[in-house]
Amino acid sequence: MFSPIKNTKVYEQVIAQIKDMIDKGILKKGDKLPSERNLVQQLMVSRASIREALRALEVIGLIECRQGEGNYIKTSFQDNLFEPLSIMFMLEGSDPEAIWELRKIMEVEAAGLASKRITCEQLSQLKEITEKFMNCGDENINAEIDKQFHYKISECSGNVLIFNILKTVSTLVDHFIVDARKLILAHKENKEILFNQHNEIYLSMEKHSSAGARKAMREHLDFANKYMKKEN
Amino acid sequence: MFSPIKNTKVYEQVIAQIKDMIDKGILKKGDKLPSERNLVQQLMVSRASIREALRALEVIGLIECRQGEGNYIKTSFQDNLFEPLSIMFMLEGSDPEAIWELRKIMEVEAAGLASKRITCEQLSQLKEITEKFMNCGDENINAEIDKQFHYKISECSGNVLIFNILKTVSTLVDHFIVDARKLILAHKENKEILFNQHNEIYLSMEKHSSAGARKAMREHLDFANKYMKKEN
């Protein structure tokens, strides 16, 4: 199954071999990896190197180590996968403008895709979220609903990459723009404006209008961004 | 600087603390991490745990271990960063459509931004790349020029996040669509079409026309995508 390893950066080669077996379809989602001892024998490297490689794969979110059971290829990867991306964003991200620009591009297009791909079930979920907006007086809950709304739209884009990147980007935007809604809602008249903007996005989903969805999302984000700039 | 660690999954917490210091701006690109021994003392965990955490960060592409010098936060992260992403795609049975969709969105918008932000120097570099297209008979070199062209455009977007994501997405597209150009150029008349499309993109940069750049890039990518589908 595996073949012995020769070179210097041992753990890298352990990973390369595991990756290769995934590429060839020998290892699949949910599969159990050979035991550490087994890997030591097959690859002829130290147990420490095997462990380093396995830990790295665990950090990446590719495998999970179940206590007493062994190591398994995960069946779902979204959670940890974009961890490295978010760290990079932190290191590169002295520039909130760049993050906001990326978010806008991705979210406007996600809305466009979602309008075409949204299912009946998703549409009624989105309707429910939208209706909660006006009916709730608690701003903390409203802020949460706001997040859910945007999260749902990117999910409905049907593109798992776009969904994951937007998720990461949103986390970062939240990081820079703490309580964005509070800044906007310092002006009372904005509550209705915000509701109308979200409702407009929802209605374009109902009509499956890609152009409408992109326009409504762009207007909403431009509005929010303008406010944040003004207040900061 | 660091604080002692209590819980079970020790290496995860080592990573979390390093991440936190990056988040707070205490650790920056190119910075040297404390020595392994130092980390052992500060975090009060075993050397093995420290090493596991460092290896994982190395695999992610966040730090590099320089022989005899110590561990440094990298200054450029593109190379390894999307390693986990490419592995995920292998496991997910890989949906090239999703990757292509993401690439198209990002690259069309990158072209739009580039048209507004491109400097005189970048413009003349892009002109040089564009002119090489028609004058070169060697397809291997042309394929390389093609890559350079797209790379330059995303660089000129002036958004380092967009640039990095596009670079890694392109790598993924290359992985699935081997020798895309060869497929297109199996039809002789396409050589001129490809040149004209790239030239059109270049000209829109010269005019600093955002709408023109986005349109030209979209047409180019749609053309390429259609061909690949037809041939596969």
Side-chain angles (χ1 to χ4, degrees):
Chain A
M1 187 145 109
F2 289 94
S3 47
I5 279 175
K6 299 149 214 159
N7 211 311
T8 36
K9 281 223 167 174
V10 182
Y11 76 95
E12 276 184 1
Q13 298 188 52
V14 177
I15 291 175
Q17 286 211 25
I18 291 174
K19 194 181 157 186
D20 191 50
M21 297 185 69
I22 290 169
D23 197 19
K24 287 180 178 143
I26 301 168
L27 281 175
K28 287 184 278 296
K29 284 200 284 186
D31 280 359
K32 189 180 175 179
L33 287 177
S35 70
E36 281 184 18
R37 190 162 28 153
N38 202 313
L39 286 170
V40 168
Q41 285 168 353
Q42 286 191 64
L43 300 173
M44 298 201 219
V45 295
S46 72
R47 191 151 188 151
S49 295
I50 295 291
R51 202 165 283 172
E52 278 174 357
L54 293 175
R55 279 290 187 249
L57 293 174
E58 197 186 358
V59 170
I60 285 174
L62 187 78
I63 67 172
E64 60 177 333
C65 303
R66 296 186 204 147
Q67 284 290 348
E69 280 190 72
N71 302 305
Y72 290 79
I73 306 273
K74 275 201 183 177
T75 49
S76 151
F77 319 102
Q78 283 98 311
D79 297 342
N80 298 37
L81 195 69
F82 277 72
E83 189 69 1
L85 190 61
S86 86
I87 298 177
M88 180 197 79
F89 278 16
M90 286 178 189
L91 282 164
E92 294 282 16
S94 43
D95 181 8
E97 291 285 324
I99 300 177
W100 185 263
E101 193 169 76
L102 175 64
R103 181 186 169 177
K104 191 179 148 189
I105 287 171
M106 301 285 290
E107 203 156 354
V108 165
E109 298 302 327
L113 294 171
S115 70
K116 295 298 181 194
R117 293 174 183 167
I118 196 165
T119 63
C120 288
E121 197 190 341
Q122 287 172 326
L123 202 55
S124 73
Q125 286 164 349
L126 193 65
K127 187 176 188 175
E128 207 177 299
I129 294 170
T130 312
E131 278 168 353
K132 277 186 195 159
F133 265 120
M134 262 328 227
N135 302 330
C136 177
D138 185 330
E139 175 45 27
N140 289 330
I141 296 173
N142 271 336
E144 192 48 44
I145 297 170
D146 196 334
K147 266 193 204 171
Q148 275 175 30
F149 182 91
H150 288 272
Y151 189 85
K152 181 57 81 182
I153 297 277
S154 71
E155 187 191 290
C156 296
S157 74
N159 186 319
V160 72
L161 286 173
I162 293 173
F163 176 66
N164 277 324
I165 294 177
L166 259 176
K167 206 165 125 181
T168 315
V169 169
S170 302
T171 312
L172 284 163
V173 174
D174 291 350
H175 176 80
F176 286 109
I177 305 152
V178 185
D179 287 356
R181 278 182 60 94
K182 271 189 196 146
L183 288 172
I184 297 171
L185 293 175
H187 305 255
K188 267 192 184 163
E189 68 275 21
N190 284 344
K191 189 178 178 180
E192 204 176 328
I193 293 174
L194 271 189
F195 170 76
N196 287 338
Q197 287 176 347
H198 285 96
N199 195 41
E200 206 56 54
I201 297 167
Y202 164 72
L203 290 174
S204 64
M205 296 288 149
E206 217 178 49
K207 286 180 228 155
H208 301 291
S209 159
S210 171
R214 294 169 71 251
K215 182 167 177 282
M217 183 61 87
R218 190 180 299 115
E219 280 172 6
H220 170 52
L221 294 176
D222 281 344
F223 171 82
N225 190 32
K226 195 181 61 188
Y227 252 90
M228 286 175 236
K229 275 183 195 161
K230 204 156 75 181
E231 301 285 340
N232 281 330
Chain B
M1 185 144 112
F2 290 94
S3 48
I5 280 175
K6 300 149 211 157
N7 210 312
T8 35
K9 282 224 168 174
V10 181
Y11 77 94
E12 276 184 2
Q13 297 188 53
V14 177
I15 291 175
Q17 286 212 25
I18 291 175
K19 195 180 156 185
D20 191 49
M21 295 184 71
I22 290 170
D23 195 19
K24 286 179 179 145
I26 301 169
L27 282 175
K28 286 184 278 298
K29 286 200 283 185
D31 280 359
K32 189 180 175 177
L33 288 176
S35 69
E36 282 185 16
R37 197 174 9 168
N38 202 312
L39 286 169
V40 168
Q41 286 167 354
Q42 287 191 63
L43 301 171
M44 298 200 219
V45 295
S46 73
R47 189 147 187 156
S49 296
I50 296 291
R51 203 165 281 174
E52 279 173 355
L54 293 175
R55 279 291 188 246
L57 292 175
E58 197 186 357
V59 170
I60 285 175
L62 186 78
I63 67 171
E64 60 178 331
C65 303
R66 297 186 203 150
Q67 285 290 349
E69 281 190 72
N71 303 304
Y72 290 79
I73 305 273
K74 277 198 181 178
T75 48
S76 150
F77 320 103
Q78 291 95 310
D79 298 341
N80 299 38
L81 196 70
F82 272 67
E83 190 67 5
L85 192 60
S86 80
I87 299 177
M88 180 194 80
F89 267 74
M90 289 175 190
L91 284 164
E92 290 287 16
S94 60
D95 179 6
E97 292 286 324
I99 304 176
W100 185 263
E101 192 168 79
L102 174 64
R103 181 184 167 178
K104 191 181 147 185
I105 287 171
M106 301 284 289
E107 204 157 352
V108 165
E109 298 302 327
L113 293 171
S115 70
K116 295 296 179 197
R117 293 174 184 168
I118 196 164
T119 65
C120 289
E121 197 191 340
Q122 287 172 326
L123 202 54
S124 71
Q125 285 163 349
L126 194 64
K127 188 176 187 178
E128 206 177 301
I129 295 169
T130 312
E131 279 168 353
K132 277 189 197 158
F133 265 120
M134 262 327 225
N135 301 332
C136 177
D138 185 331
E139 175 46 26
N140 289 330
I141 297 174
N142 270 336
E144 192 47 45
I145 298 171
D146 196 335
K147 266 193 201 168
Q148 276 176 28
F149 183 91
H150 288 272
Y151 188 86
K152 181 56 79 181
I153 297 278
S154 72
E155 188 191 287
C156 296
S157 76
N159 186 317
V160 71
L161 298 174
I162 292 174
F163 175 66
N164 279 330
I165 293 177
L166 257 177
K167 197 172 151 186
T168 39
V169 167
S170 302
T171 312
L172 283 167
V173 174
D174 289 348
H175 178 80
F176 289 108
I177 306 154
V178 184
D179 287 355
R181 277 181 61 94
K182 270 189 197 146
L183 289 172
I184 297 171
L185 293 174
H187 306 255
K188 269 193 183 162
E189 68 276 19
N190 283 346
K191 189 178 177 182
E192 205 177 327
I193 293 175
L194 272 189
F195 170 77
N196 287 336
Q197 287 176 347
H198 285 96
N199 196 42
E200 205 56 54
I201 297 168
Y202 164 71
L203 290 173
S204 65
M205 295 290 149
E206 219 177 47
K207 284 181 229 155
H208 301 292
S209 159
S210 170
R214 294 168 72 251
K215 184 168 174 281
M217 182 62 87
R218 191 182 295 114
E219 279 171 5
H220 169 53
L221 293 176
D222 282 346
F223 172 80
N225 189 32
K226 197 181 61 186
Y227 253 89
M228 285 176 236
K229 274 184 194 160
K230 205 156 71 178
E231 303 284 339
N232 281 330

